[in-house]
Every structure is written in structure tokens, then in C-alpha cells.
């Protein structure tokens, strides 16, 4: 039997991690991060993509230290506990594609699973729809897993492969810290419009990211895994962490006076059409399905990158590309994840194509077919 040498073997360990993520996310919001999205991985990755010049949409350009901290914290924990292991080679192009469509779905409605939980904790009742869509997408992904879905096994790789993304993250941190630019017209860019103009003090944000990365690497924290394991194995272990994250974030928002009830109703003066709700829910379904097929939520992918997982790195690169596609092709109206009715016509097409892509991957990547004569 494998010896558990990390605190994920206990409920208090995963619960503690959830509490820390929830509370620190609220504190980051209190200190300047966008409302309801103190630590939305998808939104923050979008801002980094914009800051590096891969999209030029105002309001989505800022080098977020939290993302860098999450990777570095995970790497630090993996090295200290001798769990850093370079590995990869498991369906890289498919993982890249899943990352692209996962980001398109996330940016189209409420963000990644981290962002959805935090927005629900801040009083955004539209997040309930996102949770429903996300859960349905995860459930479909679990059905594929029960039918034999598998992206294949990773294999050991040279250590340099595992260090590429963590080193790149440190490089981006140095660029931000010393404001390294060729001239005033070159990257990194910085938007003065919301939401990217809202940020916590950089070194505090970095420290929070490192701490969460450390804990999450040890506990294998994953929001997608909470629902997946509950449905697939009736295992509620990771659900304790997500529940603790939600409760801690709600209590923190309550103490700081950051609860803002927000919903858009069909038929009121600020209403959105029923069809816009449908597109938004489909975007959430796409988000849940793509993350499930890829093996973990946006946060979990970053923590795996910190451990040297090249496959997770490919997925993250896909997410970054998806952010660029979303804004360069105007799939949504503005760089905000917490709204309904912002999906443009081309965005609807992209969401539908993303769902088709995931279904094709789910049906074709099944071992039972590969083993048949």
C-alpha cells in the first residue's frame, strides 16, 4: 500500500487548504483585486496574455503575480518533498485543444471553477447557473471515463522539460518586478480600465499565490476533482475542500462587507433574454466537460505544472491561447467573466464547436476501442 506522505490523506488537510484559499482570495479582493474574483485563474491568465501583447483588449492587461506564485509555490513544495518529476507525452495536441476550449467556456461565463465558487460566495446568484452547467459538464465527462476514456499514460522525461514553465514564470516575474521593456510601446502592457486595473499589492499577491501553491500541491486540491470523484467513486474527500473554500470566502466577504447580491432576471428592466441564459449555461457545460477530460481544474493544472507535469503545461498553454482567441476574435463583448448576455454571435459558434470537440475526444479516446480487434 502506498504510504501517504502529504496532508491530503485527511479531511482536515483538504479542508484547511480550502479555507486558506477562500479567505486569502477575499483578502486579495479587499486589498484591490476585482470584486468577486479575488483569485479567478482563468481571468488572471487572460490578463497575463494581454499584458504580454497576445491580445490588446483594454481592461484585460496585467501581469498577475498570483499565477506566478501558484506555480512557484507548487514547485517549491514538490522539490522540498521530492515529488518534482518531469513527465509527459500523453496526447499533447488534444490536451492543448482542451485547454483552448476550456478557456473559451470559462471566459464566456463566470470564469474557471475557482472563479465560480468565489463569485457565488460574494453574492452573485448567477453563479448558481454556472455551478449547474459546470456540474453537468463534469457528469458527462465522468460518463466518458466510465466508458473507458483515457488520454494515455505520461512517461518520464528529462528534467529540463519539467522546469521550462516554472522558469518561464520566474522570468515573467522578473519582467514585472523590474519593468523590463524595450520602449514605451512594447510589452508588458498595463490597462487602466477595469477589471485589470484593479489589483492587490504585487508582493502580497505573490506571497498569497506561493502559500496556496504550497498547500494545494500537498493536498492535491481540485474543484473539478471534488464533483468528479463524488460521482465516479462516491468519494467526498475533495468536496470537503471546495465546501470549506465556499464557506470561508462567504464568511470573509460578510465580515468585510463585500456581499453584493447580483442577478439578472428575464423580464425586468435589466433583463437578458432566455437564449442568452442558454448560451451561458452551455459555456459552463463546456468548461466542466473540458476540464474533466483534461484531468483537473485550472488551479490543479498550474499545481501539476509546478511538479514538472509537461502535459499540464501543454494544457495551460492551450488556455493562454484560448484567452487570446477569445478577445482577438471578439467572442465576448468585454474582458469580464461574471456576466450574462455578453457572448457574441461568433462566441456562440465557438462554444458549440468546443462542445463538439470535447464529445469527439470523449468518444474516440476510449481504451475499449483501442483494445478491440
Amino acid at each position: 500500500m502506498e504510504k501517504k506522505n502529504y496532508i491530503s490523506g485527511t479531511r482536515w488537510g483538504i479542508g484547511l487548504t480550502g479555507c486558506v484559499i477562500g479567505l486569502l482570495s477575499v483578502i486579495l479582493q479587499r486589498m484591490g483585486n476585482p470584486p468577486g474574483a479575488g483569485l479567478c485563474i482563468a481571468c488572471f491568465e487572460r490578463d497575463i496574455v494581454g499584458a504580454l501583447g497576445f491580445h490588446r483588449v483594454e481592461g484585460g492587461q496585467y501581469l498577475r503575480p498570483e499565477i506566478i506564485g501558484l506555480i512557484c509555490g507548487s514547485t517549491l513544495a514538490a522539490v522540498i518533498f521530492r515529488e518534482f518529476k518531469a513527465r509527459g507525452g500523453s496526447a499533447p495536441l488534444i490536451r492543448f485543444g482542451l485547454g483552448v476550449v476550456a478557456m473559451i467556456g470559462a471566459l464566456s461565463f463566470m470564469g474557471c471553477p475557482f472563479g465560480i465558487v468565489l463569485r457565488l460566495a460574494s453574492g452573485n446568484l448567477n453563479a448558481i447557473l454556472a455551478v449547474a452547467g459546470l456540474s453537468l459538464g463534469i457528469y458527462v465527462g465522468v460518463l466518458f471515463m466510465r466508458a473507458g476514456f483515457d488520454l494515455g499514460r505520461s512517461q518520464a522525461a528529462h528534467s529540463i522539460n519539467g522546469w521550462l514553465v516554472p522558469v518561464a514564470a520566474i522570468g515573467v516575474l522578473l519582467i514585472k518586478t523590474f519593468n523590463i521593456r524595450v520602449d514605451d510601446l512594447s510589452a508588458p502592457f498595463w490597462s487602466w480600465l477595469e477589471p485589470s486595473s484593479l489589483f492587490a499589492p504585487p508582493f502580497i499577491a505573490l506571497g498569497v499565490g506561493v502559500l496556496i501553491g504550497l498547500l494545494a500541491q500537498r493536498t492535491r486540491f481540485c474543484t473539478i476533482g471534488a464533483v468528479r470523484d463524488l460521482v465516479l467513486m462516491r468519494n467526498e474527500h475533495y468536496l470537503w475542500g471546495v465546501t470549506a473554500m465556499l464557506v470561508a470566502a462567504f464568511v470573509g466577504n460578510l465580515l468585510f462587507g463585500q456581499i453584493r447580491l447580483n442577478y439578472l432576471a428575464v423580464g425586468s428592466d435589466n433583463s437578458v433574454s432566455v437564449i442568452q441564459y442558454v448560451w451561458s449555461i452551455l459555456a459552463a457545460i463546456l468548461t466542466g466537460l473540458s476540464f474533466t477530460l483534461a484531468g483537473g481544474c485550472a488551479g490543479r493544472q498550474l499545481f501539476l505544472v509546478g511538479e514538472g507535469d509537461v502535459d499540464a503545461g501543454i494544457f495551460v498553454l492551450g488556455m493562454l491561447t484560448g484567452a487570446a482567441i477569445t478577445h482577438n476574435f471578439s467572442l465576448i463583448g468585454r474582458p469580464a467573466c461574471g456576466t450574462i448576455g455578453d457572448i457574441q454571435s461568433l462566441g456562440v459558434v465557438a462554444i458549440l464547436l468546443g462542445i463538439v470537440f470535447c464529445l469527439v475526444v470523449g468518444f474516440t479516446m476510449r481504451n475499449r476501442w483501442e483494445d478491440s480487434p
Side-chain angles (χ1 to χ4, degrees):
M1 180 179 295
E2 181 182 359
K3 182 180 179 180
K4 293 182 178 180
N5 59 352
Y6 48 85
I7 60 176
S8 65
T10 61
R11 288 182 176 178
W12 72 262
I14 193 72
L16 173 65
T17 302
C19 284
V20 170
I21 295 174
L23 286 175
L24 291 183
S25 298
V26 170
I27 291 174
L28 286 177
Q29 177 182 331
R30 180 72 173 179
M31 301 186 74
N33 274 8
L39 190 62
C40 178
I41 309 298
C43 301
F44 287 6
E45 289 180 345
R46 170 208 63 205
D47 289 349
I48 291 177
V49 170
L52 295 177
F54 293 103
H55 74 71
R56 300 299 298 272
V57 175
E58 290 291 328
Q61 298 172 308
Y62 178 65
L63 291 177
R64 296 281 180 184
E66 295 90 342
I67 301 299
I68 300 171
L70 292 175
I71 296 174
C72 292
S74 176
T75 301
L76 181 61
V79 171
I80 291 174
F81 293 95
R82 298 182 180 180
E83 292 182 351
F84 186 91
K85 180 181 179 182
R87 70 269 190 190
S90 170
L93 288 180
I94 290 178
R95 289 184 185 275
F96 181 84
L98 289 173
V100 171
V101 299
M103 181 62 97
I104 291 174
L107 292 182
S108 296
F109 182 46
M110 288 291 158
C112 66
F114 269 52
I116 292 173
V117 172
L118 295 174
R119 287 186 170 92
L120 182 60
S122 69
N124 192 330
L125 300 183
N126 289 315
I128 297 175
L129 291 177
V131 170
L134 189 75
S135 299
L136 180 56
I138 297 172
Y139 179 73
V140 174
V142 168
L143 292 180
F144 281 124
M145 295 174 69
R146 286 176 173 171
F149 172 80
D150 187 9
L151 289 177
R153 293 183 178 180
S154 297
Q155 298 182 0
H158 194 283
S159 61
I160 190 174
N161 293 276
W163 282 105
L164 286 176
V165 177
V167 170
I170 294 175
V172 172
L173 177 63
L174 293 176
I175 291 174
K176 176 178 176 57
T177 302
F178 298 102
N179 193 27
I180 301 175
R181 306 179 69 186
V182 175
D183 52 49
D184 292 339
L185 299 178
S186 64
F189 302 103
W190 185 355
S191 175
W192 294 97
L193 298 179
E194 295 185 7
S196 63
S197 62
L198 303 175
F199 55 89
F203 284 102
I204 293 179
L206 177 65
V208 166
V210 170
L211 177 58
I212 292 176
L214 279 164
L215 285 174
Q217 192 280 330
R218 303 307 300 147
T219 61
R220 281 53 173 170
F221 186 91
C222 180
T223 51
I224 291 291
V227 180
R228 178 200 63 207
D229 287 1
L230 182 65
V231 176
L232 186 62
M233 300 179 291
R234 300 295 187 269
N235 183 352
E236 76 282 1
H237 176 71
Y238 290 107
L239 192 61
W240 284 90
V242 177
T243 303
M245 176 183 173
L246 176 63
V247 172
F250 176 76
V251 172
N253 281 318
L254 199 62
L255 292 175
F256 288 129
Q258 295 177 169
I259 299 291
R260 299 289 187 272
L261 291 181
N262 176 33
Y263 68 96
L264 293 177
V266 176
S268 63
D269 292 338
N270 65 341
S271 68
V272 295
S273 66
V274 173
I275 193 65
Q276 289 171 328
Y277 274 94
V278 172
W279 299 141
S280 297
I281 294 174
L282 286 175
I285 292 173
L286 172 60
T287 303
L289 177 56
S290 52
F291 278 125
T292 303
L293 295 180
C297 66
R300 180 63 181 150
Q301 298 293 340
L302 291 179
F303 308 142
L304 286 171
V305 166
E307 298 177 4
D309 193 319
V310 179
D311 291 333
I314 295 290
F315 182 86
V316 171
L317 290 177
M319 289 190 67
L320 300 180
T321 303
I325 291 174
T326 298
H327 291 296
N328 286 330
F329 289 90
S330 299
L331 304 186
I332 59 176
R334 55 189 181 277
C337 303
T339 58
I340 288 180
D342 196 36
I343 304 173
Q344 306 301 299
S345 298
L346 189 57
V348 171
V349 175
I351 290 170
L352 295 177
L353 288 176
I355 292 176
V356 171
F357 171 75
C358 289
L359 292 177
V360 170
V361 169
F363 278 113
T364 56
M365 297 293 291
R366 294 197 289 179
N367 283 337
R368 61 173 57 182
W369 289 10
E370 294 176 2
D371 294 338
S372 61

